[in-house]
Amino acid sequence: MDKVSIVEGGAYPLGVKNVDTDMIIAAKWLKTISRVGLGKGAFEAMRQDPANVFDDPAHAGSPILIAGDNFGCGSSREHAAWALNDMGVKAVIAPSFSDIFSGNAFKNGILTVVLPQEAIDRLMDVAKTDPIHIDLDAQSVTTPFQDRFSFEIDPFRKTCLMGGLDEIGLTLAEADRIGAYEAKVKADRPWVSAAVA
């Protein structure tokens, strides 16, 4: 997982409420276990509208998505986070998120930022023409117009995102302690180690 500290650049000003995981990535894309290539299927139904924000050249490649309330509701498909990652989205800002989506986003290195609707409205306006800056360490979202919005984040999630630590990375960070424990078990209870070998 890549480290997340600063997410900066353009933003897709989506602002739609109740975007469920089926809208993020339709069920027909769930046949793969690969995380690569799902970006082209992201928001497929919305992209049928020629005026959609995702295909607007002004927002192409934006690392930030500004969404409405209850983003990521619906089914628990992790493919939704994979699709966002594959299209280059590193952070989603919304008034609220589905718990399951928020967890899947976190496990895939996507920062979810909860801000009040007034802040979302302001960022939607800014995103039409200017970049947005998210500083995870300072827990703030700023704009070139001196707007500054603070956000809360679970300390464990913040540490993991800033360190680039997914569940495997967290385990590997404890490799020395795990090795010491295994050596102690082998010395104290050799019959256990012999059975495993």
Side-chain angles (χ1 to χ4, degrees):
M1 187 166 86
D2 293 334
K3 293 180 180 180
V4 178
S5 179
I6 302 291
V7 182
E8 181 173 43
Y12 296 105
L14 180 62
V16 177
K17 294 181 180 181
N18 301 314
V19 171
D20 65 30
T21 53
D22 191 53
M23 292 171 72
I24 299 170
I25 188 75
K28 70 180 187 179
W29 292 90
L30 305 185
K31 298 172 187 168
T32 181
I33 57 169
S34 173
R35 299 176 189 212
V36 179
L38 290 174
K40 64 186 173 195
F43 302 101
E44 185 177 50
M46 290 182 180
R47 285 179 156 166
Q48 299 305 310
D49 178 355
N52 77 82
V53 298
F54 301 106
D55 295 323
D56 182 340
H59 304 295
S62 292
I64 301 168
L65 172 65
I66 303 170
D69 199 32
N70 197 28
F71 186 81
C73 57
S75 71
S76 61
R77 64 185 69 166
E78 190 172 6
H79 288 67
W82 295 357
L84 288 172
N85 241 337
D86 194 56
M87 67 182 282
V89 172
K90 302 298 176 198
V92 182
I93 306 172
S96 68
F97 294 91
S98 155
D99 286 344
I100 294 174
F101 171 81
S102 182
N104 284 337
F106 157 66
K107 290 178 181 181
N108 285 279
I110 299 173
L111 174 61
T112 54
V113 175
V114 175
L115 290 177
Q117 188 62 52
E118 302 78 38
I120 298 297
D121 294 341
R122 173 61 181 151
L123 293 173
M124 288 280 292
D125 284 338
V126 171
K128 292 174 185 172
T129 56
D130 290 277
I132 291 172
H133 180 93
I134 304 171
D135 184 331
L136 178 54
D137 190 37
Q139 295 179 211
S140 67
V141 178
T142 56
T143 74
F145 307 103
Q146 306 308 311
D147 299 295
R148 182 181 180 84
F149 305 106
S150 296
F151 63 90
E152 296 298 317
I153 185 169
D154 175 80
F156 174 74
R157 287 188 175 187
K158 179 178 179 178
T159 298
C160 289
L161 287 168
M162 292 192 71
L165 299 170
D166 58 12
E167 290 162 332
I168 294 171
L170 284 168
T171 302
L172 292 176
E174 299 295 332
D176 290 343
R177 290 179 59 203
I178 293 168
Y181 172 79
E182 289 175 342
K184 183 172 180 354
V185 168
K186 187 174 183 178
D188 293 349
R189 296 178 282 170
W191 62 91
V192 173
S193 299
V196 173

